[in-house]
Amino acid sequence: MTDGSKPWDAALVRRWLERRHAASRLDQAAADRRGYEARDDFDKAAAEEWVCRALATADCVNDQAAFAAWLKQLVAQEEYPATGLHDDIRFERHVRTYLRGLVKMTKANEGFEKTLRHQ
């Protein structure tokens, strides 16, 4: 998948997923407190949480090619079951956008070292 410049680091990817999951939970709580005008922010954070939760439990994180294949399979899904959302269509759009970003990160093997809360 990559040019071989740096090896796939599954532990780094798992740590990145864990930190993004925690950040998305905080973002959801902040959007919920802001109320009606922050509905899109809430759905966006919920989408990030859904993706991170789905990927954190997957065994394919150990292999870059398998991880990329799993991401593509998730992108191709028609529905992403979740509750407590404001707009299901907007949520699904955010999930696909987030997954596509992860596909690019996985293909390039870059970005997983950025673990700050706000990206």
Side-chain angles (χ1 to χ4, degrees), residues 30-52:
D32 198 34
R33 284 190 300 271
R34 288 194 334 254
Y36 184 79
E37 73 278 352
R39 292 177 303 160
D40 187 51
D41 292 339
F42 182 89
D43 289 344
K44 188 181 244 182
E48 184 177 12
E49 179 196 6
W50 189 93
V51 170
C52 290

Side-chain angles (χ1 to χ4, degrees), residues 57 75-76 78:
T57 59
V75 169
E78 289 193 23

Side-chain angles (χ1 to χ4, degrees), residues 2-10 12-13 64 108-110 112:
T2 63
D3 58 87
S5 60
K6 68 179 179 180
W8 180 253
D9 187 354
L12 179 66
V13 174
Q64 185 177 9
N109 195 15
E110 292 178 347
F112 293 108

